Amino acid sequence: MAKNDKEFVKEITPQSEDFSQWYTDVIKKADLIDYAPIRGCMVLKPDGYELWEAVQVGLDRRFKETGHRNAYFPIFIPESFLNKEKEHVEGFNPETPWVTHVGDEKLQERLAIRPTSETIIGEMYHRWIKSYRDLPVLLNQWANVVRWEKATRPFLRTTEFLWQEGHTAHQTEEEAREEVLKMLNVYRDFVETDLAIPVIPGKKTEMEKFKGAIDTYSIEALMQDGKALQAGTSHYLGQNFAKVFDIQFLDEDNQLKYVYQTSWGMSTRIIGAMIMVHGDDRGLVLPPKAAPTQVIIVPIMAGKDKEMVKEKALELQTRLGNSFRTRLDDREEYTPGWKFNEWEMRGIPIRIEIGPRDIQNNQVVLVRRDTGEKIFTSLDQLESTIDTLLTEIQSNLFNKAKKFMEDHTQQATNMEELREAVVEKKGMALSGWCGSSECETKVKEETGATIRNIPINQPNDLGTCVYCNNKAQHQVYFAKAY
Amino acid sequence: MAKNDKEFVKEITPQSEDFSQWYTDVIKKADLIDYAPIRGCMVLKPDGYELWEAVQVGLDRRFKETGHRNAYFPIFIPESFLNKEKEHVEGFNPETPWVTHVGDEKLQERLAIRPTSETIIGEMYHRWIKSYRDLPVLLNQWANVVRWEKATRPFLRTTEFLWQEGHTAHQTEEEAREEVLKMLNVYRDFVETDLAIPVIPGKKTEMEKFKGAIDTYSIEALMQDGKALQAGTSHYLGQNFAKVFDIQFLDEDNQLKYVYQTSWGMSTRIIGAMIMVHGDDRGLVLPPKAAPTQVIIVPIMAGKDKEMVKEKALELQTRLGNSFRTRLDDREEYTPGWKFNEWEMRGIPIRIEIGPRDIQNNQVVLVRRDTGEKIFTSLDQLESTIDTLLTEIQSNLFNKAKKFMEDHTQQATNMEELREAVVEKKGMALSGWCGSSECETKVKEETGATIRNIPINQPNDLGTCVYCNNKAQHQVYFAKAY
């Protein structure tokens, strides 16, 4: 009968035992997703979707503050469009689902389900942009996209996923390049401030860049298993798409010119990062700013005081609801102990326990999810205490993750040190790199580590290439990656 | 060079001359959409998408207040799922795009692009619902859907469109039926309160109901050309999908039972209704509650006072921005007169004109979009005046539309009167109906009018059927429809 009961009572595998299984256990047990009956697709359940809503709110506000507006373009991309940009089509073609029929009728031209929207947007920008007065065009789209990847994992890599994709067009290369870095910084700010995940902003190598871009920038985060995760990307497209889609404008000097473009995206993948950076063996740990529920109230209801406690807890919920995202768990079929575990597993930043004795003493007990610390607080100062606590938890999570990243990043000047940093110590290596794809490939073959990015902040002394020992062009981060 | 210049300077066709052309002119000239290079698809440009964002905000709040949560299900529906509910598949099959290949590989089972999600959600509810304790399940999804319809029109009927779809499962028929009417009322409240569109809530006939539902309810609005538009639907699905997807739960009496389900949806179509109910020969007229911009400031800048006026206007924008959605148009390449036309065409509820003399007199001129009335207001009472005015405009738009609907609705007791109401007077007929599909079909064949719905409020005396003259089962609204 109870089809999924087994999952719900199963314990969470400890991170140290099997990080990958821990991840799978946590997202299922915290009820964030379910697997859909289509290969590699997931269903975002309400608790999972709420995390995406938090991402949407945080990013959308920042996009609008930086002058962008939302629009919506079709999910279908005619085959001829996708074929226009050579590298782009080669990059995406094997992963693209094709609509060939409608009802019983065969279409004249096959339609791709968008893997990304540069091409369809290129066609529209060709129609819209005529003069330098029409520039810049600063649009964003919230949408679903599809990439039929071989190995899929919930949030991290799914066949269909939700994301936002910004697409801008500019008069000059300088302005476009400025936009690329501006949006990279918007991502960094959102991920560090709201999600408490420290990241490294940098530039991707030729091998790792977006197919169709001139330069790709990324923010990279380090998960607790020592693997890096690309959390957002911002691309300088130059005039690549402008030339194939003929996006020309009459400039101030009366010359016809191609626009310079950018695109940038962040997806539901970021939720996977949030889980893997902060979670522990008891389950999710959500950063207060992004947590759909910040405070969970668990009344200790027993005996003759039951109704009184319940009433007080309800009062408290109403009161705190004015300042914090608050929920009350007054279910009677579960014990307080069971509920403590449950809400810890779901990662709620603060738990409030309130029982008859607390009420007598005009106090409650606050329990921090991040440290487990118990704090007795007078009901009179509750809001200010919670407010301070949420701020503390937010910065504690960030600092902990930052320290983890620092502790798991080693300077590596040769392959032995690199292997130690990446394989034995499970983390990142910061190394000199000569700039050749050969060395990049060799390191990957020998250690499994790829260049995550070339950090924007470069030291004065670049040293020598970790592989060939020639003069380094850059310092780069090597790591295994999701 | 200037590819679309022609469209931008073209005047708007008067409604009385050609309503359909008026509609097309307005949405293009107000820059809400563009036609996409895929049959029947549109691009929602920023001004159009902002209207959808207003709909999302208004509905999402109401859904959450009534206990619903958002989730996200895959866009792909395996062919075998769609085939499970017979009526449902017959209704949607001819309009369904099929994914047959990924890259160069043929799929084992074809995947439909969702026309609606009852089937994929049915499969997941089968997995999730085990006990009466799991009920009710109250989920909503914001998503894109695809229906390959023959005749398409922007907003009203497009190949791909954006919508929300609610899907709920309940323990009893009674509770499910209550949900159906509750959500119908949520739609009515949103459309009447926020969009200022009066609607008729009622039940669809067998012929017009959703394929797969037991009962479909709708809210119907009347456009200014006398055609009705179905603005939202709420379906009682009974146990139809529960039986084919085996959604059973162990009830309190220890019996296995099928759940009772509902689904309900509203789409980007509602934006078309807003345009056709309120618009006039000068363009859009947006209801203040839903208008992305409520106040547009046009400074009258000339001669030596130019900078002073510009500065004052900027000050005003900052000040009013705290209370209202305010924009400033201080472009110097356009005359004030040109701007007045432009912002009227875009439907902004209130225009503020501010020139040197106004500043001297510590006043501004407010101009109402709905009536054209000019109001001189002291700068000291600006916020309260605007606030009152926005409320007045909102209710004026609703009342005007309500009066239009009343004026264009005739009681019709025979076919001659019905034809006069629908064809000559271009509106709706309220008539008795015997309940037979034969009479319903005959009326359609002879007048082009269909039964829009059976209004929930029925009179005591139902009269006789407008077609066969037998005893009527209901009073119903007949109209031509979008």
Side-chain angles (χ1 to χ4, degrees):
Chain A
M1 185 48 230
K3 301 157 201 141
N4 284 336
D5 262 357
K6 248 204 281 185
E7 269 116 345
F8 290 115
V9 297
K10 184 168 66 181
E11 291 305 315
I12 298 169
T13 306
Q15 291 189 345
S16 56
E17 193 178 298
D18 183 344
F19 192 84
S20 167
Q21 189 59 47
W22 168 84
Y23 178 75
T24 310
D25 289 353
V26 164
I27 54 175
K28 195 80 176 79
K29 204 166 154 66
D31 213 21
L32 302 185
I33 66 116
D34 198 357
Y35 298 91
I38 298 111
R39 207 192 64 80
C41 284
M42 65 173 176
V43 173
L44 282 163
K45 297 186 80 175
D47 284 307
Y49 195 83
E50 268 184 356
L51 295 175
W52 181 236
E53 289 180 311
V55 172
Q56 288 189 304
V57 168
L59 285 178
D60 202 69
R61 175 175 66 73
R62 286 171 171 87
F63 295 160
K64 284 172 178 161
E65 281 169 4
T66 45
H68 302 84
R69 302 182 72 195
N70 290 326
Y72 187 77
F73 297 85
I75 190 173
F76 297 117
I77 299 182
E79 184 165 18
S80 55
F81 284 27
L82 210 56
N83 285 341
K84 281 191 179 181
E85 217 287 339
K86 198 170 162 296
E87 277 188 26
H88 191 66
V89 66
E90 282 171 7
F92 286 108
N93 211 17
E95 303 170 357
T96 301
W98 292 101
V99 174
T100 56
H101 290 75
V102 170
D104 298 327
E105 275 181 43
K106 194 173 174 190
L107 290 176
Q108 288 197 315
E109 181 178 12
R110 299 198 304 173
L111 297 173
I113 307 296
R114 65 178 159 223
T116 178
S117 301
E118 277 76 7
T119 56
I120 183 80
I121 290 178
E123 168 66 18
M124 300 315 293
Y125 282 6
H126 157 71
R127 302 184 191 185
W128 297 343
I129 297 169
K130 295 155 289 177
S131 150
Y132 70 92
R133 286 197 190 84
D134 301 325
L135 297 172
V137 175
L138 305 173
L139 297 187
N140 175 61
Q141 160 167 286
W142 292 97
N144 53 343
V145 286
V146 177
R147 297 175 188 178
W148 215 270
E149 313 228 31
K150 287 206 178 65
T152 58
R153 301 201 61 195
F155 293 116
L156 304 177
R157 201 176 293 275
T158 51
T159 301
E160 181 189 14
F161 57 93
L162 302 180
W163 79 344
Q164 59 66 220
E165 46 181 324
H167 293 270
T168 69
H170 305 265
Q171 193 176 0
T172 64
E173 167 167 359
E174 190 191 354
E175 194 188 298
R177 285 193 176 275
E178 200 176 286
E179 168 83 5
V180 170
L181 293 181
K182 182 196 283 174
M183 298 323 287
L184 189 73
N185 197 46
V186 161
Y187 287 149
R188 188 202 54 71
D189 176 59
F190 166 69
V191 171
E192 295 198 333
T193 310
D194 288 19
L195 308 186
I197 301 176
V199 293
I200 297 161
K203 191 174 158 179
K204 287 289 189 183
T205 65
E206 279 301 300
M207 272 175 68
E208 300 277 336
K209 77 179 190 188
F210 177 73
K211 300 306 171 202
I214 290 179
D215 290 320
T216 287
Y217 292 81
S218 72
I219 49 171
E220 304 279 334
L222 187 63
M223 307 299 103
Q224 289 181 80
D225 61 351
K227 283 163 87 173
L229 184 143
Q230 176 178 296
T233 49
S234 186
H235 313 294
Y236 172 63
L237 304 176
Q239 297 178 315
N240 283 356
F241 289 89
K243 283 182 180 159
V244 294
F245 285 95
D246 188 27
I247 314 174
Q248 292 194 74
F249 68 100
L250 200 62
D251 206 351
E252 288 165 86
D253 61 8
N254 233 24
Q255 300 290 307
L256 266 182
K257 293 177 190 168
Y258 291 108
V259 298
Y260 297 84
Q261 291 180 275
T262 85
S263 68
W264 26 274
M266 185 172 281
S267 74
T268 33
R269 171 167 242 233
I270 194 69
I271 297 171
M274 183 164 38
I275 296 165
M276 291 195 292
V277 166
H278 301 307
D280 63 22
D281 285 350
R282 282 137 80 212
L284 292 180
V285 177
L286 298 177
K289 276 186 199 273
T293 301
Q294 298 172 309
V295 177
I296 178 74
I297 303 171
V298 179
I300 318 293
M301 305 178 291
K304 62 174 175 49
D305 296 319
K306 202 174 88 172
E307 286 311 311
M308 185 270 284
V309 173
K310 200 168 176 173
E311 203 173 296
K312 262 292 184 204
L314 199 65
E315 254 179 65
L316 204 56
Q317 180 192 22
T318 310
R319 173 179 156 187
L320 294 180
N322 294 319
S323 312
F324 312 103
R325 298 187 288 273
T326 308
R327 279 174 75 177
L328 165 66
D329 185 355
D330 59 0
R331 291 176 293 177
E332 298 191 11
E333 62 269 36
Y334 298 100
T335 64
W338 189 93
K339 291 179 188 175
F340 296 168
N341 283 329
E342 172 79 3
W343 295 109
E344 280 179 1
M345 190 265 293
R346 290 171 186 267
I348 314 304
I350 294 177
R351 176 174 80 237
I352 296 185
E353 303 172 8
I354 179 167
R357 217 177 34 195
D358 298 311
I359 294 168
Q360 230 166 36
N361 297 337
N362 193 44
Q363 68 173 25
V364 292
V365 181
L366 304 181
V367 184
R368 286 174 68 152
R369 173 63 181 91
D370 60 337
T371 60
E373 187 191 348
K374 281 194 171 202
I375 300 141
F376 290 82
T377 310
S378 156
L379 273 170
D380 304 332
Q381 285 127 42
L382 195 50
E383 276 87 352
S384 67
T385 308
I386 292 175
D387 200 45
T388 308
L389 212 48
L390 289 175
T391 309
E392 266 181 48
I393 296 172
Q394 183 81 25
S395 62
N396 178 47
L397 290 180
F398 180 80
N399 293 336
K400 233 168 96 178
K402 181 105 181 160
K403 184 166 186 314
F404 180 88
M405 186 155 82
E406 284 163 4
D407 288 350
H408 288 79
T409 303
Q410 321 284 329
Q411 188 82 45
T413 56
N414 56 47
M415 282 301 287
E416 204 168 318
E417 286 175 11
L418 191 151
R419 191 176 296 107
E420 190 188 303
V422 169
V423 182
E424 276 98 73
K425 295 200 173 164
K426 293 193 176 169
M428 293 194 289
L430 183 60
S431 300
W433 173 51
C434 65
S436 80
S437 298
E438 288 73 26
C439 289
E440 190 180 3
T441 307
K442 283 291 180 191
V443 173
K444 186 177 179 179
E445 285 170 4
E446 294 181 18
T447 66
T450 49
I451 298 179
R452 298 325 302 149
N453 68 25
I454 305 161
I456 293 190
N457 297 320
Q458 290 281 319
N460 288 330
D461 179 12
L462 298 171
T464 58
C465 177
V466 71
Y467 195 81
C468 69
N469 222 18
N470 287 330
K471 195 171 170 331
Q473 297 286 327
H474 318 277
Q475 288 272 310
V476 299
Y477 284 98
F478 282 98
K480 296 188 181 182
Y482 278 95
Chain B
M1 184 49 230
K3 300 153 202 146
N4 284 335
D5 263 357
K6 249 205 280 185
E7 269 117 344
F8 291 115
V9 297
K10 184 168 69 181
E11 291 305 314
I12 298 169
T13 306
Q15 291 188 344
S16 56
E17 194 178 295
D18 184 344
F19 192 85
S20 167
Q21 189 59 49
W22 168 84
Y23 178 75
T24 310
D25 290 353
V26 164
I27 55 175
K28 196 79 176 82
K29 205 167 153 65
D31 214 22
L32 303 185
I33 66 116
D34 199 356
Y35 298 92
I38 298 112
R39 209 191 64 78
C41 285
M42 65 173 175
V43 173
L44 281 164
K45 298 185 79 176
D47 284 308
Y49 195 83
E50 269 185 353
L51 295 175
W52 181 238
E53 289 180 311
V55 172
Q56 288 188 305
V57 168
L59 285 179
D60 203 69
R61 176 173 66 72
R62 287 172 171 87
F63 294 160
K64 284 173 178 162
E65 281 169 4
T66 46
H68 302 84
R69 303 182 73 193
N70 290 327
Y72 187 77
F73 297 85
I75 190 173
F76 297 116
I77 300 181
E79 184 165 16
S80 55
F81 285 26
L82 211 57
N83 286 341
K84 280 192 181 181
E85 216 288 340
K86 199 171 160 294
E87 277 188 27
H88 191 68
V89 65
E90 281 170 8
F92 286 107
N93 211 17
E95 304 171 357
T96 301
W98 292 102
V99 173
T100 57
H101 290 74
V102 170
D104 299 326
E105 276 180 43
K106 195 173 172 187
L107 291 176
Q108 288 196 315
E109 180 179 13
R110 300 198 303 174
L111 298 174
I113 307 296
R114 66 179 156 221
T116 179
S117 301
E118 276 76 7
T119 56
I120 184 80
I121 290 178
E123 168 66 18
M124 300 315 293
Y125 283 8
H126 156 73
R127 302 185 192 185
W128 296 343
I129 297 169
K130 296 155 288 176
S131 151
Y132 70 92
R133 286 197 190 85
D134 300 326
L135 298 172
V137 175
L138 306 173
L139 296 186
N140 175 62
Q141 160 168 286
W142 291 98
N144 53 342
V145 286
V146 177
R147 298 176 188 177
W148 216 270
E149 314 230 31
K150 287 208 178 64
T152 58
R153 301 201 61 197
F155 293 117
L156 303 176
R157 201 176 291 277
T158 52
T159 301
E160 181 189 13
F161 57 94
L162 303 180
W163 81 342
Q164 59 65 219
E165 46 181 323
H167 294 270
T168 69
H170 305 265
Q171 194 176 2
T172 64
E173 167 167 359
E174 191 191 355
E175 194 188 297
R177 286 194 175 274
E178 200 178 286
E179 168 84 3
V180 170
L181 294 180
K182 182 197 281 174
M183 299 322 287
L184 189 74
N185 198 46
V186 161
Y187 286 149
R188 187 201 56 70
D189 177 59
F190 167 69
V191 171
E192 295 198 335
T193 309
D194 288 17
L195 308 186
I197 301 175
V199 293
I200 298 161
K203 190 175 158 179
K204 287 288 190 184
T205 65
E206 279 300 302
M207 272 175 66
E208 300 277 335
K209 76 179 192 188
F210 177 73
K211 300 307 172 202
I214 289 179
D215 291 319
T216 288
Y217 292 80
S218 73
I219 50 171
E220 303 280 333
L222 188 63
M223 307 298 104
Q224 288 181 80
D225 62 351
K227 282 162 88 173
L229 183 144
Q230 176 178 298
T233 48
S234 186
H235 313 293
Y236 172 62
L237 305 176
Q239 297 178 315
N240 282 356
F241 289 89
K243 283 183 180 159
V244 294
F245 284 96
D246 188 27
I247 316 174
Q248 293 194 74
F249 67 100
L250 201 62
D251 205 351
E252 289 165 86
D253 60 8
N254 232 23
Q255 300 292 305
L256 266 182
K257 293 176 190 169
Y258 291 107
V259 298
Y260 297 86
Q261 291 182 275
T262 84
S263 68
W264 26 275
M266 186 172 280
S267 75
T268 34
R269 170 168 241 234
I270 195 69
I271 298 171
M274 181 163 41
I275 296 165
M276 292 196 290
V277 165
H278 301 306
D280 64 22
D281 285 351
R282 282 138 79 211
L284 292 180
V285 177
L286 297 177
K289 276 184 199 275
T293 302
Q294 298 172 308
V295 177
I296 178 73
I297 303 171
V298 180
I300 318 293
M301 305 177 291
K304 60 174 176 50
D305 297 320
K306 202 175 89 173
E307 286 310 312
M308 183 270 284
V309 172
K310 200 168 175 171
E311 203 172 297
K312 261 292 187 206
L314 200 64
E315 254 179 64
L316 205 56
Q317 180 192 23
T318 308
R319 172 178 156 187
L320 293 180
N322 294 320
S323 313
F324 312 103
R325 297 187 288 273
T326 308
R327 279 175 73 177
L328 165 66
D329 185 355
D330 58 0
R331 291 175 293 177
E332 297 190 12
E333 62 269 37
Y334 297 101
T335 64
W338 190 94
K339 291 178 187 174
F340 296 169
N341 284 328
E342 173 79 3
W343 295 109
E344 281 180 0
M345 189 265 293
R346 289 172 185 265
I348 314 304
I350 295 178
R351 177 174 80 236
I352 295 185
E353 302 172 10
I354 180 167
R357 217 176 36 195
D358 298 311
I359 294 168
Q360 230 166 37
N361 298 337
N362 193 43
Q363 67 172 26
V364 293
V365 181
L366 304 180
V367 184
R368 285 174 68 151
R369 173 61 181 93
D370 60 336
T371 59
E373 188 191 349
K374 281 194 172 201
I375 300 140
F376 290 83
T377 310
S378 156
L379 273 170
D380 304 332
Q381 284 126 42
L382 196 49
E383 276 85 352
S384 66
T385 308
I386 292 175
D387 201 44
T388 308
L389 214 48
L390 289 174
T391 309
E392 266 181 49
I393 296 172
Q394 184 79 24
S395 62
N396 178 47
L397 289 180
F398 180 80
N399 293 335
K400 236 168 96 177
K402 181 104 181 160
K403 184 167 185 314
F404 180 87
M405 186 155 83
E406 283 162 5
D407 289 350
H408 288 78
T409 303
Q410 321 284 329
Q411 188 81 45
T413 56
N414 57 47
M415 283 301 287
E416 204 167 319
E417 286 174 11
L418 190 150
R419 191 177 294 107
E420 190 187 302
V422 169
V423 182
E424 276 96 72
K425 294 198 174 164
K426 292 192 176 170
M428 291 194 290
L430 183 59
S431 301
W433 174 51
C434 66
S436 80
S437 298
E438 289 73 25
C439 288
E440 188 179 4
T441 306
K442 283 290 180 189
V443 173
K444 185 175 180 182
E445 285 170 5
E446 294 180 18
T447 65
T450 49
I451 297 179
R452 298 324 304 151
N453 67 24
I454 306 162
I456 291 188
N457 297 321
Q458 290 281 319
N460 287 331
D461 180 12
L462 298 171
T464 58
C465 177
V466 71
Y467 195 82
C468 69
N469 222 18
N470 287 331
K471 196 168 170 326
Q473 297 285 329
H474 318 276
Q475 287 271 309
V476 300
Y477 284 98
F478 282 99
K480 295 187 181 180
Y482 277 96

